[in-house]
Amino acid sequence: SYVLTQPPSVSVAPGKTARITCGGTNFLSKSVHWYQQKPGQAPVLVIYYDNDRPSGIPERFSGSNSGNTATLTISRVEAGDEADYYCHMWDSSSDHPGVFGTGTKVTVL
Amino acid sequence: EVHLVESGGGLVKPGGSLRLSCAASGFTFSSYSMNWVRQAPGKGLEWVSCITSSSTYIYYAGSLKGRFTISRDNAKNSLYLQMNSLRAEDTAVYYCARGYSSSSDVPFDYWGQGTLVTVSS
């Protein structure tokens, strides 16, 4: 089945930029979505279809998808951005079509 | 406002069965695909199953096929997950999540708060 690999952790100082990668194969034909999950809470969609933002999500969150890597970028990081982040895609050709990335813990220093 | 409320979780012995429910409100339930996603304690998200708006298409994680059955009742605005032959590794919080549209290949734009399933003797 499809595997989406993320770095386990990313540390960033307040006001700086955090970049979280999501690696796989043949991303060009698939859309990637991103979720934020804070401790004890349900996930929240922050980026969908590679680089669209749901209403209510700050412009500081953006996404890109190129080659075999998708990236979630958080600009001007705030303490409230500290959370786990997961990428997600659908692979119709797989027997496990819904796939989440391994998850990245973002720590704000 | 969209609300998804899961129920039916609890403690069950290995080999037992459990039926989870998800009550939906605040939107036209019959127009959206629905999913189950689980999260084992301290672990990441794992997609479990998807059912399209009219139940035309149903998908499962390969490892769960044959033990879990997803269904929906559009008249009752409800989603279900029948889980049989439960194992310790099925212990997790189970979330229901709404698909962005009626199809399967979409992001999950709303999530419930989850229900905990514990499989232990």
Side-chain angles (χ1 to χ4, degrees):
Chain A
S1 60
Y2 209 88
V3 176
L4 298 177
T5 303
Q6 300 179 233
S9 62
V10 167
S11 297
V12 58
K16 300 299 186 182
T17 298
R19 292 182 179 85
I20 305 163
T21 57
C22 175
T25 57
N26 195 22
F27 268 36
L28 289 177
S29 63
K30 300 178 179 63
S31 295
V32 178
H33 320 296
W34 291 91
Y35 304 86
Q36 176 194 70
Q37 186 181 33
K38 295 182 178 179
Q41 298 184 19
V44 172
L45 181 67
V46 294
I47 291 290
Y48 63 108
Y49 293 122
D50 298 335
N51 57 12
D52 286 337
R53 268 178 297 104
S55 61
I57 300 301
E59 291 183 10
R60 301 183 297 103
F61 288 81
S62 62
S64 64
N65 181 355
S66 61
N68 294 330
T69 302
T71 302
L72 173 69
T73 301
I74 312 173
S75 304
R76 302 180 300 282
V77 166
E78 302 175 356
D81 298 331
E82 188 162 288
D84 295 324
Y85 292 83
Y86 297 90
C87 57
H88 162 229
M89 70 163 50
W90 185 268
D91 181 17
S92 303
S93 63
S94 171
D95 70 340
H96 193 131
V99 185
F100 284 98
T102 50
T104 299
K105 168 67 176 178
V106 169
T107 300
V108 181
L109 301 171
Chain B
E1 187 181 356
V2 173
H3 275 116
L4 299 170
V5 180
E6 302 92 339
S7 61
L11 176 63
V12 61
K13 290 181 167 53
S17 298
L18 215 53
R19 188 195 197 206
L20 306 183
S21 299
C22 173
S25 61
F27 64 102
T28 304
F29 182 72
S30 60
S31 295
Y32 294 87
S33 62
M34 296 295 297
N35 295 264
W36 288 101
V37 177
R38 70 182 183 181
Q39 187 170 37
K43 302 297 184 182
L45 301 175
E46 180 185 15
W47 173 81
V48 171
S49 182
C50 172
I51 184 168
T52 54
S53 58
S54 300
S55 303
T56 303
Y57 297 101
I58 288 175
Y59 305 89
Y60 297 98
S63 59
L64 302 177
K65 217 174 294 187
R67 294 197 299 125
F68 288 15
T69 302
I70 191 172
S71 63
R72 64 190 295 161
D73 186 335
N74 287 344
K76 295 183 177 179
N77 293 339
S78 293
L79 174 72
Y80 306 101
L81 185 68
Q82 177 68 41
M83 304 185 295
N84 298 329
S85 303
L86 283 163
R87 307 166 180 168
E89 53 264 37
D90 296 317
T91 294
V93 173
Y94 285 73
Y95 295 100
C96 71
R98 190 185 85 164
Y100 184 71
S101 73
S102 60
S103 303
S104 57
D105 184 8
V106 295
F108 305 157
D109 57 356
Y110 289 93
W111 298 62
Q113 283 305 304
T115 186
L116 176 62
V117 172
T118 304
V119 184
S120 175
S121 54

